[in-house]
Amino acid sequence: MRFFKSCILLSLSVLSAASPSWADAYKAVSNTAMSVTGDISMDDFSITFETGDELSFSNLVADHFMVDGERVPASVYRVDDPSDPELLNGNRLCGSGPVTYVANWSAGDGLSAIAVFNGRHAPKSSDEMCASYTFEEGVEE
């Protein structure tokens, strides 16, 4: 009986380890998001735009960020292979060089802000961004 229980536990742990991680879906709501990124999906590993283009993250570099002079909980990611993809309507994500960092924080009432950066060092505040986009959180794909 103990052998049987061990086999079941082992099987469950293998199945749970093999389960895919699903990205969160976000609906574009700001003018910039609607005209550049479209709807997106994002998780701790990458961001995928409506066009299918993707930026993968190499690591999380900060869990707080300064927005309009206020320190807020945020996720700041280093982009694994910096680029400035051409997205909707021929628009570029940053427009002034390869995106090196992406930050995400709550913009209040079910909204999420995403900012992109092209600096060499991890950004400390939204003042350093080359573009920002606002999305509605938790929408169905």
Side-chain angles (χ1 to χ4, degrees):
M1 183 65 157
R2 203 171 1 180
F3 176 76
F4 180 69
K5 286 181 184 178
S6 296
C7 287
I8 289 177
L9 288 174
L10 180 61
S11 297
L12 289 175
S13 66
V14 168
L15 286 174
S16 66
S19 297
S21 170
W22 301 105
D24 293 323
Y26 296 87
K27 179 178 175 49
V29 294
S30 66
N31 287 335
T32 54
M34 288 186 283
S35 63
V36 177
T37 66
D39 296 344
I40 63 167
S41 61
M42 184 173 170
D43 58 22
D44 290 337
F45 306 102
S46 66
I47 182 171
T48 304
F49 306 98
E50 191 168 302
T51 59
D53 291 280
E54 177 181 273
L55 290 177
S56 295
F57 308 137
S58 62
N59 61 315
L60 178 69
V61 297
D63 61 3
H64 282 81
F65 190 68
M66 295 295 287
V67 177
D68 298 327
E70 183 180 336
R71 188 171 190 247
V72 300
S75 296
V76 182
Y77 300 97
R78 181 186 325 270
V79 175
D80 188 39
D81 184 19
S83 67
D84 193 11
E86 185 176 314
L87 301 174
L88 297 177
N89 306 308
N91 291 311
R92 298 222 173 251
L93 186 58
C94 185
S96 60
V99 174
T100 53
Y101 293 90
V102 174
N104 173 246
W105 66 92
S106 173
D109 294 333
L111 298 177
S112 187
I114 293 178
V116 293
F117 304 83
N118 62 1
R120 296 180 73 141
H121 303 287
K124 304 282 186 217
S125 80
S126 60
D127 295 339
E128 304 169 55
M129 67 187 172
C130 57
S132 68
Y133 306 93
T134 305
F135 300 88
E136 181 182 350
E137 301 171 343
V139 297
E140 295 295 320
E141 287 191 72

